[in-house]
Amino acid sequence: MNYLKMNRLTATAVFAISFIGYFITMAPTVSYWDCGEFAATAYNMAIPHPPGSPLFLLVGRIFSLLPTSQIGHALGYALSDYDIAFRITLISVLTSAFAVLFLYLTMVRLITQWKGIPENTFGGFKITMASAIGALTFAFTYSQWFNAVESEVYAASIFFTAIVLWLIMVWLEKPDDLHSDVYLLLIAYILGLAIGVHLLSVLAIPFILFIIYSKKFEITMASFFKFILIGGLTVGIIYKIYIFWSLNIPLFFDHYGLGTISVVVFFGAIIYLCYYLIQKNNHTGALLAISTLLIFVGYSTYAMIIIRSGLNPNIDQNDPNNWAAFIRYLNREQYGELVLWPRNAPFWEYQIKKMFVRYFNWQFIGRPDEFSLSLLDQFRNGLGFTVDKLQDAQEDRYNYMATLMSFRGLYGIPFLFGFFGMFHHFSKDWKRALATLGLFIMTGIGVILYVNQPDPQPRERDYSYVSAWMAFSVWIGIGVYALFEFLEEKIKNAKIAEYAAYGAALLIVVVMPMNMFVYNKFASSRQGNYVGWDFSYNLLETCEPNAILYTNGDNDTFPLWYLQEVEKIRPDVRIVNLSLVNTEWYVNQMKNHAAEYIMPDGSVYKAPTVPVGFSDREILGDPKIPNSAIQPTAWTAREFSVNVPKDVFWKDWVESGNALPKGSDTMKIPPMKFRVEPTIQGKGIRVQDMMILDILFANKFNRPIYFGITVSPDNYVGLEKYLRMDGLAFKLVTVPNTDMSLDRMYNNAFKKYKFRNMNNPNINYDDNIRRLTQNYRTLFLRMAESYRNNGGKKNTAIDDAYPNFTTQEKIVAILDSMNAKMPEKVIPMHNVNLKLGIAQFYADAGKPEKLKEAITQVLAQEKYYRLDAALKMKMAQLSIYLLKDADGAVKILEPLYAADPNNPEILGTYIMALENKNDLEGAATLLQTWTSVHPQDTQAKMKLDEIQQKLNKK
């Protein structure tokens, strides 16, 4: 087959395989973290968190118009009419598949540039197959796949990096051709566009420069250091001068009302400079000038941020509607100053080993996963060499040193090929190998140095380093090609060597891309995952009309924004993000901006503002006075007393399950009393705490106030005893020490809440979702506990639902419903105390077999639950007291005693178990041994005498 045709067919196949793999595993709706914010702001052309991604938003707006719902319904797929998040996620699916395509094309050119264009079919096969294996291995690495199936910017960023790498490879084939300058200019424009998605693509510049430099100049030690200086300056110029310092021009002229005009003049000046240099026939100068112009043209997508902010959309983070605010937005001043030194965490132990080496190993060596078996694992099982999904100790999931050495699923095969390919590349084409190494370091170690992440992080950050995984995957492809060459060299018979290469290719396809696909598919798939949408919907539905809802941070807030902004669900609930409320612009928006929503029926709903007592001057400060905006302040503990309206108090009283007393109209209503302690090192109070108090006073109980269930108690500012659990949120009520409203809890959990696919074992839920959804179990357990503690108090929704059940049967029904909605095989309980607690509830309600079953399961999976002596002691005590199972307790306690015979607690429980088992001789023997070592223990001697008397009576 003609090489050109073979290359095109292989490229098409690589793209198609990647796209289909991503498409069938993409999220059906909104996912957690930034996805909800990006989907909402793209749909409404609003302003996301800094530094913003305007190009992504502009493209996202176009994708939001795609008729996927109509197409889906026509084809019989159950797509929602509001599938905006699905449509915007298609950007990630497409750009990720194209990134894999361009990686393949880059590897093909890298190989042909040292080997030449193949002259026969077998030569073409070696190049295209090796490149395809490298590209598809990268396609299904854990982190690349993760980015490809959610509406985030990282997939698009990787696409821009991949395309500029390919373009510089194309330029490299004809660097002296005058027309090849078009590739360099296109690279400049794409880099400018990439800035409007994410700054990570800028880190590809050293690779590009080195390719150009090595082609134009001889590489010596002196010239290499010269290149490092030039490359560093170029990155610094583009990053600092082009992206940030250039904005000082319109900022300066903005003082005279000429900010926008100065931008026009600025572009005009660059265009004139380009024209002048072209007229002077200054090729290098014109190339640099036009490249500068194109970078700024691409970068100009940021105009969208300042323009749309000026229209005051509902989501308007940092309110960058003028040049000064826009520069603060771009500089991410909201997140504090970015410093390279000192390090925010141990550089080697945490930032390198845990935040890079561990992630690297996940992609190419192995990753502990309790839910997946790879093809190789299944093959081993078929041969009788059992590989359990829990083969690795549970510590591998939490202890990063153990995780560093895990070979789970991948067996280190991709790493070995990549390592071999790196050495082969340096031996055959060291210049481009050095450039690839530079790309790997810049997009890996360089990111670590720049971001300077503190310990701990709220989530895994492996998605940030995918460009480094792409660079290493280049060497995987080269390693496969090197193996083909090795076989050709060692096998003298050309035909046999050819067949050997075909066989090796088939085997490598199985053990690398296919094995990686099978192993990572379940962990990477978002198919059928509705938790982000459902949890946010349930949280909103917990709230009464026109409520104020405090949320904890991005992960709690962004999906709520999506539901309100895009799907127009409960826009009456005003969300107050306790992270953002520390900023003056957010407080000002809460107070003065009434969000407007165009509802599905075409009507306009205007959501009320948040009641804020601070004046605008107190919030925003005086522009002429530095640091005069609202900010943390000194604070000493103080008591507050708030008068409560009579109607509000009695409403809370009745909703909390109490009967309205006679003469309530004339009763004196007690005030709310609470104490607010300092929240900043015992000396100050945060802005968010001030705002919670201020909103409480300004609201005057006119609107209900809620704290989301994920909000830390540290944020309650002394109001704990006035928080009543109504479901996934605590309502601020006026009746103190009210545990919950059973009616509201039941109606929410059983009649309003959605739990889609949480009982489906074929749906993947990552650690973050598993932790989050434990809140559902908390909800059911608290409901069962409250119902049990009040003795099955009548006139509740629970009694109406189960009219002929006993109190114990109703508790069992609640627990059974919880397990049916989210069974442990789908949402596991890593916390053994939670598992045993649920089982203990069952035992108390007349189902002791559930507790015995739980104890048996936990003991059978000791590594999984990381059992220690205290947990085993707890299970032994439960066996003795609740299950009356002395034999089971003895089996638990015997090895504990053998391991620690001098532990009095273990001894005491062991003796009790032996007594209950009627093994008095064994108990006496233990006590005799103990008293001989501890003769001063009078209680042990008394117990020994008691047992000996029982033995004598026998």
Side-chain angles (χ1 to χ4, degrees), residues 709 723-727 730 738-742 745 775-789 798 814-815 818 841:
I709 198 170
L723 295 180
R724 183 189 72 200
M725 191 177 193
D726 281 4
F730 295 93
T738 305
D739 181 48
M740 67 179 63
S741 170
L742 268 175
M745 289 275 283
N775 288 298
Y776 285 135
R777 288 195 171 112
T778 299
L779 186 154
F780 283 96
L781 291 175
R782 289 283 300 274
M783 200 187 316
E785 180 182 35
S786 179
Y787 191 73
R788 180 189 65 184
N789 291 346
I798 296 173
I814 292 171
L815 297 174
M818 173 188 72
F841 264 108

Side-chain angles (χ1 to χ4, degrees), residues 381-423:
N381 283 346
L383 294 177
F385 300 98
T386 304
V387 180
D388 195 294
K389 290 181 181 179
L390 298 174
Q391 177 181 352
D392 288 340
Q394 179 67 4
E395 285 82 2
D396 283 0
R397 294 175 51 78
Y398 301 98
N399 182 312
Y400 69 85
M401 279 305 297
T403 306
L404 284 175
M405 303 308 296
S406 175
F407 286 85
R408 250 322 239 117
L410 305 181
Y411 297 92
I413 295 171
F415 170 75
L416 292 175
F417 270 96
F419 197 67
F420 177 52
M422 179 182 68
F423 276 97

Side-chain angles (χ1 to χ4, degrees), residues 22 38 53-60 63 88-100 102 138 143-144 146-164 190-191 193-202 463 466-467 470:
Y22 298 149
F38 279 125
S53 303
L55 181 61
F56 183 85
L57 302 182
L58 291 165
V59 175
F63 270 71
I88 294 173
T89 302
L90 282 172
I91 299 173
S92 295
V93 172
L94 277 169
T95 55
S96 295
F98 273 113
V100 176
F102 282 112
F138 167 73
S143 300
Q144 164 67 3
F146 180 93
N147 288 342
V149 293
E150 65 175 13
S151 51
E152 250 277 20
V153 298
Y154 292 99
S157 177
I158 296 302
F159 161 73
F160 282 118
T161 301
I163 196 171
V164 297
I190 289 174
L191 286 174
L193 289 173
I195 294 168
V197 174
H198 199 281
L199 291 175
L200 279 176
S201 298
V202 174
Y463 56 83
V466 174
S467 293
M470 183 168 63

Side-chain angles (χ1 to χ4, degrees), residues 199-380:
L199 291 175
L200 279 176
S201 298
V202 174
L203 296 175
I205 292 174
F207 175 89
I208 296 166
L209 291 178
F210 188 78
I211 293 295
I212 297 172
Y213 191 84
S214 63
K215 193 65 179 179
K216 296 290 186 180
F217 304 97
E218 182 183 355
I219 300 295
T220 64
M221 187 63 71
S223 66
F224 180 70
F225 283 108
K226 182 180 178 182
F227 159 74
I228 292 176
L229 179 62
I230 294 172
L233 285 173
T234 304
V235 173
I237 288 170
I238 291 177
Y239 182 73
K240 278 294 185 183
I241 297 179
Y242 283 28
I243 299 176
F244 295 106
W245 293 355
S246 62
L247 296 174
N248 288 313
I249 296 172
L251 178 63
F252 173 79
F253 284 100
D254 192 49
H255 294 129
Y256 308 100
L258 301 173
T260 303
I261 294 175
S262 70
V263 174
V264 176
V265 172
F266 176 76
F267 272 96
I270 298 178
I271 292 170
Y272 176 77
L273 177 63
C274 296
Y275 171 78
Y276 175 79
L277 293 171
I278 292 171
Q279 289 296 309
K280 292 295 184 180
N281 203 27
N282 187 332
H283 176 263
T284 303
L287 185 62
L288 291 174
I290 298 172
S291 296
T292 298
L293 175 64
L294 291 173
I295 289 174
F296 278 115
V297 169
Y299 181 36
S300 67
T301 56
Y302 263 98
M304 171 263 178
I305 296 292
I306 198 167
I307 292 170
R308 292 297 300 174
S309 179
L311 298 175
N312 295 318
N314 293 341
I315 302 175
D316 190 10
Q317 291 230 42
N318 290 66
D319 194 21
N321 60 6
N322 59 65
W323 287 106
F326 176 64
I327 291 174
R328 289 195 298 271
Y329 176 85
L330 201 60
N331 284 327
R332 297 166 51 94
E333 291 184 12
Q334 172 180 316
Y335 303 115
E337 184 180 357
L338 187 65
V339 295
L340 300 180
W341 194 265
R343 306 306 295 173
N344 291 326
F347 177 66
W348 178 251
E349 287 297 323
Y350 182 78
Q351 294 180 337
I352 295 293
K353 289 171 79 172
K354 185 171 184 179
M355 301 305 285
F356 184 74
V357 175
R358 179 170 63 108
Y359 294 149
F360 175 86
N361 291 350
W362 280 7
Q363 322 305 317
F364 304 112
I365 294 181
R367 178 180 52 81
D369 190 313
E370 66 195 79
F371 287 93
S372 298
L373 289 176
S374 67
L375 267 181
L376 296 181
D377 293 332
Q378 295 174 31
F379 179 71
R380 285 184 59 186

Side-chain angles (χ1 to χ4, degrees), residues 727-795:
L728 292 182
F730 295 93
K731 184 182 179 184
L732 182 65
V733 296
T734 55
V735 180
N737 304 314
T738 305
D739 181 48
M740 67 179 63
S741 170
L742 268 175
D743 277 2
R744 287 186 175 276
M745 289 275 283
Y746 184 86
N747 286 328
N748 284 330
F750 285 83
K751 297 179 181 180
K752 291 185 177 181
Y753 287 178
K754 297 178 184 292
F755 300 90
R756 287 179 292 179
N757 273 343
M758 292 192 66
N759 59 356
N760 187 341
N762 297 318
I763 306 301
N764 168 54
Y765 298 109
D766 61 22
D767 281 349
N768 176 65
I769 288 179
R770 293 173 203 161
R771 284 192 299 268
L772 181 74
T773 50
Q774 301 302 342
N775 288 298
Y776 285 135
R777 288 195 171 112
T778 299
L779 186 154
F780 283 96
L781 291 175
R782 289 283 300 274
M783 200 187 316
E785 180 182 35
S786 179
Y787 191 73
R788 180 189 65 184
N789 291 346
N790 71 12
K793 192 174 181 180
K794 302 302 179 185
N795 301 318

